[in-house]
Amino acid sequence: MRQLFLLSCLLCLLLPVSSSACSFPAIFNFGDSNSDTGGLSSSFSIGPVNLPYGETFFGFPSGRFSDGRLLVDFVAGELGLPRLCAYLDSLCSNFSRGANFATALSTIVPQNTTLPLGVYSPFSLDVQLKQFLLFKSRLQMVYRKGGAYKDLVPQEGYIAKALYTIDIGQNDLTALYFSNMSAEEYLPNALKEFSTVIKRIYRLGGRYFWIHNTGPLGCLPYVLVQVPLNAARLDRAGCSILFNDLARRFNSLLNETVVQLRKELPLAALTLVDIFSVKYSLISQAKKNGFEHPLRSCCGDGSSKYNYNSNARCGDTAMKNGIDVLIGKSCKDPTKSIIWDGVHYTEAANKWIFDQISKGLYSDPPISLSSACYRNPRKA
């Protein structure tokens, strides 16, 4: 891992330095709960609808699966843009600087068991693309008619100048594991669908893409408590070897997909960010980075080693002596925790991760977020 880090630093020195930072007037985000700013909770009234979700930054549940801000919030802040409204949130409808189509439990490949009767979001990546297409088509009507809505939508030309951020794939790995499909069958199909979405956005005028690979799934408490594990199945950080290897396979195929997209989309600037390495580095060196108990959830009912219980999750309540009592409680100091609720990261962890990736040290090409409009100078 350190060799890759040093190689990235060396490549940074070899790349030509731009005289100016990119100017992205808007962000359009696609993804799952890692970047959902309120889509799922607005649609189904489930998820982070109770405190302590949002307690650290917002002071109330903001629709985010964290105690505070997500990576996409820090991306927007770095670019001088406001936090993104969820496309599905009727109470947050200012899309002048972009929109967020991500929803928790979303997958790349559409699933047969979707909410409210199943376990996955009906807003898979292809549906998020359709929502973007509808959004774009309605912009033309607003541009023609003007009126009160003109200040609530992106200006003409923003579609081509915007940054398109994508963070999805984690739920596909859990869907794959608990399905009858093989990785050899499922993963190529998922990456083919992913590629199709990127190409469609490109044909619509999108040029700048900031893509996250998937994180170390095997380090998350919801995986560690639900899958029988023994010492031989855990690595030195205490993470599941099986699930992390599955994430690595997905990431390897994603890398190949991006390389091919660079060949097919000559005007696109595609930056692939190695989220897996950053998050694993944080977890495996938690104490060095100022965190404690890296595999234990901050928010939970305290009933297990990892503080994760699928029947009593963060924010859940239960009736005790006729009173509705909070049983999924936050830890004393979320700023010392990496994992928030067994599945997602705390604001403190998200901030630490963003500080690493924003500089380009974990990116291919190794350019900073503010330079993401520049195409890879190396031939794919």
Side-chain angles (χ1 to χ4, degrees):
M1 184 181 298
R2 181 169 177 78
Q3 290 177 332
L4 290 175
F5 177 83
L6 292 174
L7 177 60
S8 293
C9 290
L10 177 60
L11 289 173
C12 283
L13 296 175
L14 295 176
L15 288 175
V17 179
S18 170
S19 59
S20 62
C22 302
S23 178
F24 298 112
I27 299 173
F28 294 102
N29 183 71
F30 303 81
D32 53 29
S33 58
N34 289 306
S35 60
D36 182 357
T37 56
L40 187 79
S41 61
S42 298
S43 303
F44 296 100
S45 298
I46 60 175
V49 295
N50 298 321
L51 286 170
Y53 282 101
E55 68 174 11
T56 296
F57 184 80
F58 300 97
F60 59 88
S62 67
R64 292 161 175 79
F65 285 78
S66 180
D67 61 314
R69 291 166 291 182
L70 309 177
L71 287 178
V72 68
D73 293 312
F74 291 113
V75 168
E78 178 76 4
L79 299 177
L81 299 174
R83 290 185 290 274
L84 290 181
C85 284
Y87 175 74
L88 296 169
D89 187 354
S90 62
L91 297 180
C92 181
S93 55
N94 187 334
F95 302 117
S96 60
R97 293 293 186 167
N100 190 357
F101 300 92
T103 62
L105 300 173
S106 288
T107 53
I108 299 173
V109 178
Q111 302 297 312
N112 293 327
T113 54
T114 57
L115 296 168
L117 301 178
V119 294
Y120 294 102
S121 169
F123 305 112
S124 50
L125 186 58
D126 63 318
V127 176
Q128 293 180 30
L129 174 64
K130 291 175 182 176
Q131 292 173 332
F132 174 69
L133 295 176
L134 179 60
F135 178 82
K136 185 176 182 296
S137 68
R138 288 182 172 176
L139 290 181
Q140 303 306 314
M141 178 183 68
V142 175
Y143 296 153
R144 289 195 304 269
K145 294 186 176 182
Y149 293 105
K150 66 178 182 179
D151 295 327
L152 300 176
V153 300
Q155 296 179 23
E156 293 190 65
Y158 278 14
I159 295 296
K161 298 177 182 177
L163 181 65
Y164 292 83
T165 54
I166 305 175
D167 188 334
I168 196 168
Q170 179 174 309
N171 295 318
D172 287 273
L173 300 184
T174 55
L176 165 61
Y177 184 81
F178 293 106
S179 74
N180 295 322
M181 297 181 67
S182 67
E184 289 72 20
E185 182 181 4
Y186 188 99
L187 294 183
N189 183 40
L191 272 303
K192 182 179 179 181
E193 180 66 32
F194 183 93
S195 180
T196 297
V197 169
I198 296 291
K199 291 177 183 178
R200 189 67 184 277
I201 295 173
Y202 180 85
R203 290 199 298 270
L204 293 169
R207 291 294 181 266
Y208 313 123
F209 299 88
W210 181 267
I211 302 168
H212 292 178
N213 69 10
T214 198
L217 181 64
C219 298
L220 297 177
Y222 89 100
V223 169
L224 293 171
V225 301
Q226 294 184 19
V227 180
L229 299 169
N230 55 46
R233 296 179 180 178
L234 300 177
D235 64 17
R236 284 185 288 183
C239 302
S240 165
I241 295 172
L242 172 65
F243 277 90
N244 278 353
D245 282 348
L246 186 60
R248 289 187 182 97
R249 291 177 70 179
F250 173 88
N251 290 339
S252 178
L253 288 175
L254 177 61
N255 181 70
E256 294 175 10
T257 300
V258 171
V259 168
Q260 183 60 35
L261 284 169
R262 289 190 181 121
K263 295 177 180 178
E264 297 181 28
L265 311 177
L267 299 180
L270 296 108
T271 305
L272 180 59
V273 184
D274 188 5
I275 291 293
F276 184 102
S277 293
V278 183
K279 288 184 174 179
Y280 190 81
S281 176
L282 173 59
I283 290 170
S284 61
Q285 302 178 59
K287 187 174 182 180
K288 175 183 176 182
N289 294 312
F291 293 88
E292 303 171 351
H293 311 298
L295 302 180
R296 180 176 173 81
S297 299
C298 170
C299 187
D301 73 338
S303 63
S304 72
K305 172 184 177 182
Y306 301 106
N307 195 26
Y308 178 81
N309 181 352
S310 61
N311 295 315
R313 301 182 183 185
C314 179
D316 281 356
T317 60
M319 294 297 295
K320 293 185 178 181
N321 300 321
I323 301 174
D324 202 22
V325 177
L326 178 69
I327 56 175
K329 301 178 181 179
S330 173
C331 59
K332 291 183 179 180
D333 188 0
T335 66
K336 297 295 184 181
S337 292
I338 295 174
I339 308 300
W340 168 243
D341 57 5
V343 186
H344 311 96
Y345 289 70
T346 62
E347 173 176 293
N350 285 328
K351 179 62 167 63
W352 188 94
I353 293 164
F354 176 77
D355 287 343
Q356 314 311 307
I357 66 173
S358 63
K359 300 176 179 66
L361 298 179
Y362 289 86
S363 298
D364 176 28
I367 56 178
S368 66
L369 174 64
S370 62
S371 299
C373 64
Y374 296 101
R375 294 191 296 278
N376 188 356
R378 294 172 287 133
K379 292 183 178 180

